[in-house]
Amino acid sequence: MRRTTRLRLVGALAAALVTAGLATGPGAQASPRQPTLAELAQRHGRYFGSATDNPELTDTAYTALLSREFDMITPGNGMKWYATEPQQGVFDWTNGDQIVNLARKHHQRVRAHTLVWHSQLPDWLTGREWTADELRAVLKRHIQTEVRHYRGKVYSWDVVNEAFNEDGTYRDTLWYRTLGPGYIADALRWSHQADPHAKLYLNDYNIEAVGPKSDAYYQLVKDLRARHVPLDGIGLQAHLALQYGYPATVEDNLRRFSRLGLDTALTEVDVRMLLPATEEKLAQQADWYRDLTSACLAVRRCVGITVWDYTDKYSWIPAVFPGEGAALPWDEQLRPKPACFAIRKALAGK
Ligand code: XIL
């Protein structure tokens, strides 16, 4: 072997060892690879997830981090009604399948989202009146078809999303108006029939703290349990905003649902702020991410945390809350922010 070739081989081997995090001793050029959020969460028997959306999957730097750092994926839009049944009885799995397939390729599980919601519904559904019998049949068919399609491929379903108002009364939606409160139990039963192994969740925002809205879920859960309606968990979206204060009772709240025998999860975490972001705001945001992470770890049945995408580059916040943003643990250049280090530290127990 010529000397230059041999040197090149030695160099390549050293580089491979460094990338693998195996290089040690005085000649070592890099410290061992940092554990990912998923690995750190797994040490606690938890997962760490991110939402993602189809358009951004062409961004290879983005998907590399998505595939490496997380072990649970939620489609941000791809499984919603407008996407999956754009015309009555015509189902389209393109976007949902793309995300499920990407997740499977990287050994990630999927929190499927969402079957029954008042938002992002197709026009054919919202543009006319329905009798209760008609709408019940439409809902049943949608749920059965979608849940069957993903049977065995998803970890959980957000079966009903955002069912309550802030004061704990039922939200006046197409479903509630036409079918009454029983639509929730029906949706859970149909989902369970279609995939008996998927964990079934109710999911909402502003239910992180103990208060009228989370009390409404607490009562509903008790009632559903008493009636043996299949239900596995409550998802706390946790779309927080610095200007509204931290939900100080989140740990107590998680615990009371655990005591009813339910799993809980933080399902759509982001912590937005009024722009511009300052060092001070980013530090406060980091504290909030740390505290949310610790709260989940402190409650046995809090099974995991999902951020509503991981980078400010693809956050939903600026489009929906003008003047606000910088809500996620990675910035628009995919660089980790203080929040990212704070989550890591909380998961590492430091
Ligand atoms: C958001 C998506 O991220 C956006 O892309 C879309 O335009 C609107 O919906 N609560 C939920 C999520 O349960 O489905 C929402 O997702 C964010 C609020």
PDB file of all heavy atoms in Angstrom, residues 32-65:
ATOM      1  N   PRO A  32     -17.707  13.123  23.181  1.00  0.00           N
ATOM      2  CA  PRO A  32     -18.692  12.150  22.727  1.00  0.00           C
ATOM      3  C   PRO A  32     -19.975  12.852  22.310  1.00  0.00           C
ATOM      4  O   PRO A  32     -20.320  13.888  22.850  1.00  0.00           O
ATOM      5  CB  PRO A  32     -18.920  11.281  23.969  1.00  0.00           C
ATOM      6  CG  PRO A  32     -17.715  11.476  24.817  1.00  0.00           C
ATOM      7  CD  PRO A  32     -17.191  12.839  24.502  1.00  0.00           C
ATOM      8  N   ARG A  33     -20.649  12.253  21.342  1.00  0.00           N
ATOM      9  CA  ARG A  33     -21.895  12.829  20.830  1.00  0.00           C
ATOM     10  C   ARG A  33     -22.880  13.055  21.974  1.00  0.00           C
ATOM     11  O   ARG A  33     -23.029  12.225  22.845  1.00  0.00           O
ATOM     12  CB  ARG A  33     -22.508  11.842  19.821  1.00  0.00           C
ATOM     13  CG  ARG A  33     -23.744  12.335  19.147  1.00  0.00           C
ATOM     14  CD  ARG A  33     -24.282  11.292  18.178  1.00  0.00           C
ATOM     15  NE  ARG A  33     -24.772  10.083  18.842  1.00  0.00           N
ATOM     16  CZ  ARG A  33     -25.917   9.998  19.495  1.00  0.00           C
ATOM     17  NH1 ARG A  33     -26.699  11.051  19.604  1.00  0.00           N
ATOM     18  NH2 ARG A  33     -26.305   8.856  20.051  1.00  0.00           N
ATOM     19  N   GLN A  34     -23.536  14.238  21.931  1.00  0.00           N
ATOM     20  CA  GLN A  34     -24.551  14.549  22.945  1.00  0.00           C
ATOM     21  C   GLN A  34     -25.740  13.622  22.792  1.00  0.00           C
ATOM     22  O   GLN A  34     -26.164  13.390  21.664  1.00  0.00           O
ATOM     23  CB  GLN A  34     -25.066  15.952  22.679  1.00  0.00           C
ATOM     24  CG  GLN A  34     -24.402  17.032  23.450  1.00  0.00           C
ATOM     25  CD  GLN A  34     -25.358  18.199  23.595  1.00  0.00           C
ATOM     26  OE1 GLN A  34     -26.346  18.109  24.287  1.00  0.00           O
ATOM     27  NE2 GLN A  34     -25.075  19.258  22.887  1.00  0.00           N
ATOM     28  N   PRO A  35     -26.292  13.120  23.888  1.00  0.00           N
ATOM     29  CA  PRO A  35     -27.523  12.340  23.726  1.00  0.00           C
ATOM     30  C   PRO A  35     -28.646  13.212  23.162  1.00  0.00           C
ATOM     31  O   PRO A  35     -28.686  14.413  23.413  1.00  0.00           O
ATOM     32  CB  PRO A  35     -27.850  11.874  25.140  1.00  0.00           C
ATOM     33  CG  PRO A  35     -26.993  12.655  26.064  1.00  0.00           C
ATOM     34  CD  PRO A  35     -25.859  13.228  25.270  1.00  0.00           C
ATOM     35  N   THR A  36     -29.529  12.615  22.398  1.00  0.00           N
ATOM     36  CA  THR A  36     -30.645  13.375  21.826  1.00  0.00           C
ATOM     37  C   THR A  36     -31.733  13.567  22.887  1.00  0.00           C
ATOM     38  O   THR A  36     -31.738  12.896  23.922  1.00  0.00           O
ATOM     39  CB  THR A  36     -31.264  12.605  20.650  1.00  0.00           C
ATOM     40  OG1 THR A  36     -31.814  11.377  21.155  1.00  0.00           O
ATOM     41  CG2 THR A  36     -30.215  12.287  19.587  1.00  0.00           C
ATOM     42  N   LEU A  37     -32.678  14.460  22.594  1.00  0.00           N
ATOM     43  CA  LEU A  37     -33.806  14.652  23.515  1.00  0.00           C
ATOM     44  C   LEU A  37     -34.544  13.330  23.699  1.00  0.00           C
ATOM     45  O   LEU A  37     -34.962  12.985  24.808  1.00  0.00           O
ATOM     46  CB  LEU A  37     -34.765  15.719  22.978  1.00  0.00           C
ATOM     47  CG  LEU A  37     -34.239  17.157  22.908  1.00  0.00           C
ATOM     48  CD1 LEU A  37     -35.351  18.100  22.455  1.00  0.00           C
ATOM     49  CD2 LEU A  37     -33.679  17.617  24.251  1.00  0.00           C
ATOM     50  N   ALA A  38     -34.691  12.582  22.613  1.00  0.00           N
ATOM     51  CA  ALA A  38     -35.391  11.292  22.696  1.00  0.00           C
ATOM     52  C   ALA A  38     -34.664  10.338  23.640  1.00  0.00           C
ATOM     53  O   ALA A  38     -35.277   9.706  24.503  1.00  0.00           O
ATOM     54  CB  ALA A  38     -35.518  10.677  21.308  1.00  0.00           C
ATOM     55  N   GLU A  39     -33.352  10.254  23.491  1.00  0.00           N
ATOM     56  CA  GLU A  39     -32.575   9.351  24.360  1.00  0.00           C
ATOM     57  C   GLU A  39     -32.671   9.773  25.818  1.00  0.00           C
ATOM     58  O   GLU A  39     -32.828   8.929  26.716  1.00  0.00           O
ATOM     59  CB  GLU A  39     -31.103   9.331  23.915  1.00  0.00           C
ATOM     60  CG  GLU A  39     -30.893   8.569  22.614  1.00  0.00           C
ATOM     61  CD  GLU A  39     -29.543   8.837  21.963  1.00  0.00           C
ATOM     62  OE1 GLU A  39     -28.833   9.781  22.386  1.00  0.00           O
ATOM     63  OE2 GLU A  39     -29.204   8.106  21.019  1.00  0.00           O
ATOM     64  N   LEU A  40     -32.591  11.068  26.044  1.00  0.00           N
ATOM     65  CA  LEU A  40     -32.685  11.552  27.429  1.00  0.00           C
ATOM     66  C   LEU A  40     -34.064  11.256  28.013  1.00  0.00           C
ATOM     67  O   LEU A  40     -34.185  10.843  29.168  1.00  0.00           O
ATOM     68  CB  LEU A  40     -32.407  13.060  27.476  1.00  0.00           C
ATOM     69  CG  LEU A  40     -30.967  13.480  27.169  1.00  0.00           C
ATOM     70  CD1 LEU A  40     -30.875  14.993  26.999  1.00  0.00           C
ATOM     71  CD2 LEU A  40     -30.024  13.008  28.278  1.00  0.00           C
ATOM     72  N   ALA A  41     -35.101  11.451  27.198  1.00  0.00           N
ATOM     73  CA  ALA A  41     -36.469  11.186  27.678  1.00  0.00           C
ATOM     74  C   ALA A  41     -36.671   9.695  27.942  1.00  0.00           C
ATOM     75  O   ALA A  41     -37.325   9.303  28.919  1.00  0.00           O
ATOM     76  CB  ALA A  41     -37.489  11.704  26.659  1.00  0.00           C
ATOM     77  N   GLN A  42     -36.077   8.875  27.075  1.00  0.00           N
ATOM     78  CA  GLN A  42     -36.236   7.417  27.223  1.00  0.00           C
ATOM     79  C   GLN A  42     -35.676   6.917  28.555  1.00  0.00           C
ATOM     80  O   GLN A  42     -36.189   5.950  29.114  1.00  0.00           O
ATOM     81  CB  GLN A  42     -35.557   6.689  26.062  1.00  0.00           C
ATOM     82  CG  GLN A  42     -36.393   6.735  24.781  1.00  0.00           C
ATOM     83  CD  GLN A  42     -35.568   6.425  23.539  1.00  0.00           C
ATOM     84  OE1 GLN A  42     -34.472   5.867  23.625  1.00  0.00           O
ATOM     85  NE2 GLN A  42     -36.106   6.796  22.377  1.00  0.00           N
ATOM     86  N   ARG A  43     -34.658   7.593  29.067  1.00  0.00           N
ATOM     87  CA  ARG A  43     -34.118   7.192  30.373  1.00  0.00           C
ATOM     88  C   ARG A  43     -35.159   7.309  31.475  1.00  0.00           C
ATOM     89  O   ARG A  43     -35.031   6.719  32.537  1.00  0.00           O
ATOM     90  CB  ARG A  43     -32.911   8.065  30.741  1.00  0.00           C
ATOM     91  CG  ARG A  43     -31.735   7.875  29.806  1.00  0.00           C
ATOM     92  CD  ARG A  43     -30.584   8.757  30.240  1.00  0.00           C
ATOM     93  NE  ARG A  43     -29.555   8.790  29.196  1.00  0.00           N
ATOM     94  CZ  ARG A  43     -28.526   9.621  29.206  1.00  0.00           C
ATOM     95  NH1 ARG A  43     -28.377  10.488  30.193  1.00  0.00           N
ATOM     96  NH2 ARG A  43     -27.635   9.593  28.223  1.00  0.00           N
ATOM     97  N   HIS A  44     -36.183   8.125  31.226  1.00  0.00           N
ATOM     98  CA  HIS A  44     -37.278   8.271  32.196  1.00  0.00           C
ATOM     99  C   HIS A  44     -38.514   7.483  31.757  1.00  0.00           C
ATOM    100  O   HIS A  44     -39.593   7.671  32.312  1.00  0.00           O
ATOM    101  CB  HIS A  44     -37.681   9.746  32.324  1.00  0.00           C
ATOM    102  CG  HIS A  44     -36.567  10.654  32.738  1.00  0.00           C
ATOM    103  ND1 HIS A  44     -36.274  10.938  34.052  1.00  0.00           N
ATOM    104  CD2 HIS A  44     -35.652  11.340  31.995  1.00  0.00           C
ATOM    105  CE1 HIS A  44     -35.237  11.778  34.106  1.00  0.00           C
ATOM    106  NE2 HIS A  44     -34.847  12.030  32.874  1.00  0.00           N
ATOM    107  N   GLY A  45     -38.380   6.686  30.722  1.00  0.00           N
ATOM    108  CA  GLY A  45     -39.548   5.976  30.194  1.00  0.00           C
ATOM    109  C   GLY A  45     -40.517   6.917  29.502  1.00  0.00           C
ATOM    110  O   GLY A  45     -41.702   6.630  29.383  1.00  0.00           O
ATOM    111  N   ARG A  46     -40.024   8.061  29.036  1.00  0.00           N
ATOM    112  CA  ARG A  46     -40.869   9.046  28.342  1.00  0.00           C
ATOM    113  C   ARG A  46     -40.410   9.149  26.892  1.00  0.00           C
ATOM    114  O   ARG A  46     -39.333   8.677  26.535  1.00  0.00           O
ATOM    115  CB  ARG A  46     -40.763  10.444  28.962  1.00  0.00           C
ATOM    116  CG  ARG A  46     -40.896  10.542  30.469  1.00  0.00           C
ATOM    117  CD  ARG A  46     -42.180   9.973  30.972  1.00  0.00           C
ATOM    118  NE  ARG A  46     -42.659  10.613  32.177  1.00  0.00           N
ATOM    119  CZ  ARG A  46     -42.231  10.320  33.414  1.00  0.00           C
ATOM    120  NH1 ARG A  46     -41.293   9.432  33.613  1.00  0.00           N
ATOM    121  NH2 ARG A  46     -42.763  10.932  34.463  1.00  0.00           N
ATOM    122  N   TYR A  47     -41.227   9.827  26.075  1.00  0.00           N
ATOM    123  CA  TYR A  47     -40.790  10.160  24.723  1.00  0.00           C
ATOM    124  C   TYR A  47     -40.617  11.667  24.612  1.00  0.00           C
ATOM    125  O   TYR A  47     -41.118  12.420  25.452  1.00  0.00           O
ATOM    126  CB  TYR A  47     -41.792   9.662  23.667  1.00  0.00           C
ATOM    127  CG  TYR A  47     -43.176  10.260  23.791  1.00  0.00           C
ATOM    128  CD1 TYR A  47     -43.453  11.545  23.302  1.00  0.00           C
ATOM    129  CD2 TYR A  47     -44.220   9.568  24.398  1.00  0.00           C
ATOM    130  CE1 TYR A  47     -44.711  12.105  23.419  1.00  0.00           C
ATOM    131  CE2 TYR A  47     -45.495  10.122  24.517  1.00  0.00           C
ATOM    132  CZ  TYR A  47     -45.726  11.387  24.035  1.00  0.00           C
ATOM    133  OH  TYR A  47     -46.978  11.956  24.155  1.00  0.00           O
ATOM    134  N   PHE A  48     -39.895  12.089  23.593  1.00  0.00           N
ATOM    135  CA  PHE A  48     -39.834  13.522  23.281  1.00  0.00           C
ATOM    136  C   PHE A  48     -40.139  13.689  21.798  1.00  0.00           C
ATOM    137  O   PHE A  48     -39.435  13.154  20.939  1.00  0.00           O
ATOM    138  CB  PHE A  48     -38.481  14.139  23.641  1.00  0.00           C
ATOM    139  CG  PHE A  48     -38.628  15.586  24.001  1.00  0.00           C
ATOM    140  CD1 PHE A  48     -38.677  15.981  25.330  1.00  0.00           C
ATOM    141  CD2 PHE A  48     -38.800  16.547  23.015  1.00  0.00           C
ATOM    142  CE1 PHE A  48     -38.879  17.322  25.672  1.00  0.00           C
ATOM    143  CE2 PHE A  48     -38.996  17.886  23.350  1.00  0.00           C
ATOM    144  CZ  PHE A  48     -39.027  18.269  24.682  1.00  0.00           C
ATOM    145  N   GLY A  49     -41.222  14.408  21.507  1.00  0.00           N
ATOM    146  CA  GLY A  49     -41.726  14.459  20.141  1.00  0.00           C
ATOM    147  C   GLY A  49     -41.736  15.845  19.542  1.00  0.00           C
ATOM    148  O   GLY A  49     -41.543  16.842  20.223  1.00  0.00           O
ATOM    149  N   SER A  50     -41.989  15.858  18.242  1.00  0.00           N
ATOM    150  CA  SER A  50     -42.201  17.129  17.536  1.00  0.00           C
ATOM    151  C   SER A  50     -43.325  16.955  16.526  1.00  0.00           C
ATOM    152  O   SER A  50     -43.467  15.894  15.927  1.00  0.00           O
ATOM    153  CB  SER A  50     -40.931  17.553  16.796  1.00  0.00           C
ATOM    154  OG  SER A  50     -41.174  18.733  16.032  1.00  0.00           O
ATOM    155  N   ALA A  51     -44.086  18.023  16.350  1.00  0.00           N
ATOM    156  CA  ALA A  51     -45.002  18.074  15.214  1.00  0.00           C
ATOM    157  C   ALA A  51     -44.182  18.388  13.971  1.00  0.00           C
ATOM    158  O   ALA A  51     -43.084  18.951  14.060  1.00  0.00           O
ATOM    159  CB  ALA A  51     -46.053  19.150  15.423  1.00  0.00           C
ATOM    160  N   THR A  52     -44.725  18.000  12.823  1.00  0.00           N
ATOM    161  CA  THR A  52     -44.106  18.394  11.567  1.00  0.00           C
ATOM    162  C   THR A  52     -45.209  18.536  10.526  1.00  0.00           C
ATOM    163  O   THR A  52     -46.337  18.129  10.753  1.00  0.00           O
ATOM    164  CB  THR A  52     -43.040  17.384  11.110  1.00  0.00           C
ATOM    165  OG1 THR A  52     -42.309  17.964  10.022  1.00  0.00           O
ATOM    166  CG2 THR A  52     -43.656  16.066  10.637  1.00  0.00           C
ATOM    167  N   ASP A  53     -44.859  19.137   9.394  1.00  0.00           N
ATOM    168  CA  ASP A  53     -45.873  19.353   8.361  1.00  0.00           C
ATOM    169  C   ASP A  53     -45.274  19.043   6.990  1.00  0.00           C
ATOM    170  O   ASP A  53     -44.064  19.184   6.793  1.00  0.00           O
ATOM    171  CB  ASP A  53     -46.383  20.799   8.444  1.00  0.00           C
ATOM    172  CG  ASP A  53     -47.785  20.933   7.874  1.00  0.00           C
ATOM    173  OD1 ASP A  53     -48.382  19.918   7.439  1.00  0.00           O
ATOM    174  OD2 ASP A  53     -48.300  22.079   7.858  1.00  0.00           O
ATOM    175  N   ASN A  54     -46.114  18.648   6.059  1.00  0.00           N
ATOM    176  CA  ASN A  54     -45.610  18.131   4.785  1.00  0.00           C
ATOM    177  C   ASN A  54     -44.732  19.086   3.985  1.00  0.00           C
ATOM    178  O   ASN A  54     -43.686  18.659   3.482  1.00  0.00           O
ATOM    179  CB  ASN A  54     -46.786  17.621   3.949  1.00  0.00           C
ATOM    180  CG  ASN A  54     -47.522  16.521   4.682  1.00  0.00           C
ATOM    181  OD1 ASN A  54     -48.379  16.802   5.522  1.00  0.00           O
ATOM    182  ND2 ASN A  54     -47.163  15.278   4.431  1.00  0.00           N
ATOM    183  N   PRO A  55     -45.109  20.381   3.854  1.00  0.00           N
ATOM    184  CA  PRO A  55     -44.307  21.242   2.982  1.00  0.00           C
ATOM    185  C   PRO A  55     -42.835  21.330   3.398  1.00  0.00           C
ATOM    186  O   PRO A  55     -41.953  21.438   2.551  1.00  0.00           O
ATOM    187  CB  PRO A  55     -44.976  22.618   3.112  1.00  0.00           C
ATOM    188  CG  PRO A  55     -46.359  22.334   3.596  1.00  0.00           C
ATOM    189  CD  PRO A  55     -46.274  21.077   4.409  1.00  0.00           C
ATOM    190  N   GLU A  56     -42.562  21.241   4.697  1.00  0.00           N
ATOM    191  CA  GLU A  56     -41.188  21.438   5.171  1.00  0.00           C
ATOM    192  C   GLU A  56     -40.328  20.189   5.052  1.00  0.00           C
ATOM    193  O   GLU A  56     -39.124  20.231   5.316  1.00  0.00           O
ATOM    194  CB  GLU A  56     -41.214  21.964   6.616  1.00  0.00           C
ATOM    195  CG  GLU A  56     -41.817  21.037   7.634  1.00  0.00           C
ATOM    196  CD  GLU A  56     -42.682  21.759   8.670  1.00  0.00           C
ATOM    197  OE1 GLU A  56     -43.500  22.635   8.274  1.00  0.00           O
ATOM    198  OE2 GLU A  56     -42.550  21.470   9.863  1.00  0.00           O
ATOM    199  N   LEU A  57     -40.919  19.080   4.614  1.00  0.00           N
ATOM    200  CA  LEU A  57     -40.152  17.841   4.540  1.00  0.00           C
ATOM    201  C   LEU A  57     -39.136  17.822   3.398  1.00  0.00           C
ATOM    202  O   LEU A  57     -38.303  16.921   3.307  1.00  0.00           O
ATOM    203  CB  LEU A  57     -41.088  16.630   4.429  1.00  0.00           C
ATOM    204  CG  LEU A  57     -42.014  16.419   5.640  1.00  0.00           C
ATOM    205  CD1 LEU A  57     -42.891  15.196   5.436  1.00  0.00           C
ATOM    206  CD2 LEU A  57     -41.223  16.297   6.935  1.00  0.00           C
ATOM    207  N   THR A  58     -39.178  18.839   2.527  1.00  0.00           N
ATOM    208  CA  THR A  58     -38.164  18.942   1.468  1.00  0.00           C
ATOM    209  C   THR A  58     -36.884  19.591   1.992  1.00  0.00           C
ATOM    210  O   THR A  58     -35.867  19.594   1.296  1.00  0.00           O
ATOM    211  CB  THR A  58     -38.693  19.805   0.301  1.00  0.00           C
ATOM    212  OG1 THR A  58     -39.143  21.047   0.853  1.00  0.00           O
ATOM    213  CG2 THR A  58     -39.841  19.124  -0.428  1.00  0.00           C
ATOM    214  N   ASP A  59     -36.934  20.139   3.191  1.00  0.00           N
ATOM    215  CA  ASP A  59     -35.781  20.811   3.808  1.00  0.00           C
ATOM    216  C   ASP A  59     -34.938  19.744   4.507  1.00  0.00           C
ATOM    217  O   ASP A  59     -35.264  19.272   5.587  1.00  0.00           O
ATOM    218  CB  ASP A  59     -36.331  21.861   4.789  1.00  0.00           C
ATOM    219  CG  ASP A  59     -35.255  22.627   5.539  1.00  0.00           C
ATOM    220  OD1 ASP A  59     -34.094  22.159   5.580  1.00  0.00           O
ATOM    221  OD2 ASP A  59     -35.579  23.687   6.093  1.00  0.00           O
ATOM    222  N   THR A  60     -33.824  19.370   3.865  1.00  0.00           N
ATOM    223  CA  THR A  60     -33.091  18.193   4.359  1.00  0.00           C
ATOM    224  C   THR A  60     -32.367  18.452   5.683  1.00  0.00           C
ATOM    225  O   THR A  60     -32.240  17.541   6.501  1.00  0.00           O
ATOM    226  CB  THR A  60     -32.081  17.688   3.306  1.00  0.00           C
ATOM    227  OG1 THR A  60     -31.320  18.806   2.853  1.00  0.00           O
ATOM    228  CG2 THR A  60     -32.794  17.072   2.122  1.00  0.00           C
ATOM    229  N   ALA A  61     -31.896  19.688   5.894  1.00  0.00           N
ATOM    230  CA  ALA A  61     -31.269  19.996   7.195  1.00  0.00           C
ATOM    231  C   ALA A  61     -32.329  19.859   8.289  1.00  0.00           C
ATOM    232  O   ALA A  61     -32.071  19.328   9.379  1.00  0.00           O
ATOM    233  CB  ALA A  61     -30.696  21.397   7.185  1.00  0.00           C
ATOM    234  N   TYR A  62     -33.538  20.310   7.959  1.00  0.00           N
ATOM    235  CA  TYR A  62     -34.648  20.226   8.913  1.00  0.00           C
ATOM    236  C   TYR A  62     -35.013  18.770   9.214  1.00  0.00           C
ATOM    237  O   TYR A  62     -35.149  18.379  10.378  1.00  0.00           O
ATOM    238  CB  TYR A  62     -35.870  20.980   8.354  1.00  0.00           C
ATOM    239  CG  TYR A  62     -37.140  20.668   9.110  1.00  0.00           C
ATOM    240  CD1 TYR A  62     -37.438  21.336  10.291  1.00  0.00           C
ATOM    241  CD2 TYR A  62     -38.015  19.680   8.651  1.00  0.00           C
ATOM    242  CE1 TYR A  62     -38.578  21.019  11.014  1.00  0.00           C
ATOM    243  CE2 TYR A  62     -39.161  19.362   9.366  1.00  0.00           C
ATOM    244  CZ  TYR A  62     -39.433  20.035  10.543  1.00  0.00           C
ATOM    245  OH  TYR A  62     -40.566  19.718  11.258  1.00  0.00           O
ATOM    246  N   THR A  63     -35.167  17.968   8.178  1.00  0.00           N
ATOM    247  CA  THR A  63     -35.604  16.580   8.423  1.00  0.00           C
ATOM    248  C   THR A  63     -34.511  15.774   9.116  1.00  0.00           C
ATOM    249  O   THR A  63     -34.812  14.864   9.889  1.00  0.00           O
ATOM    250  CB  THR A  63     -36.020  15.861   7.118  1.00  0.00           C
ATOM    251  OG1 THR A  63     -34.978  16.021   6.165  1.00  0.00           O
ATOM    252  CG2 THR A  63     -37.311  16.410   6.566  1.00  0.00           C
ATOM    253  N   ALA A  64     -33.246  16.131   8.875  1.00  0.00           N
ATOM    254  CA  ALA A  64     -32.155  15.412   9.547  1.00  0.00           C
ATOM    255  C   ALA A  64     -32.287  15.572  11.064  1.00  0.00           C
ATOM    256  O   ALA A  64     -32.225  14.595  11.818  1.00  0.00           O
ATOM    257  CB  ALA A  64     -30.809  15.934   9.068  1.00  0.00           C
ATOM    258  N   LEU A  65     -32.517  16.814  11.485  1.00  0.00           N
ATOM    259  CA  LEU A  65     -32.661  17.055  12.933  1.00  0.00           C
ATOM    260  C   LEU A  65     -33.945  16.427  13.477  1.00  0.00           C
ATOM    261  O   LEU A  65     -33.962  15.855  14.573  1.00  0.00           O
ATOM    262  CB  LEU A  65     -32.679  18.570  13.169  1.00  0.00           C
ATOM    263  CG  LEU A  65     -31.687  19.092  14.192  1.00  0.00           C
ATOM    264  CD1 LEU A  65     -31.339  20.548  13.944  1.00  0.00           C
ATOM    265  CD2 LEU A  65     -32.293  18.939  15.586  1.00  0.00           C
TER     266      LEU A  65
END
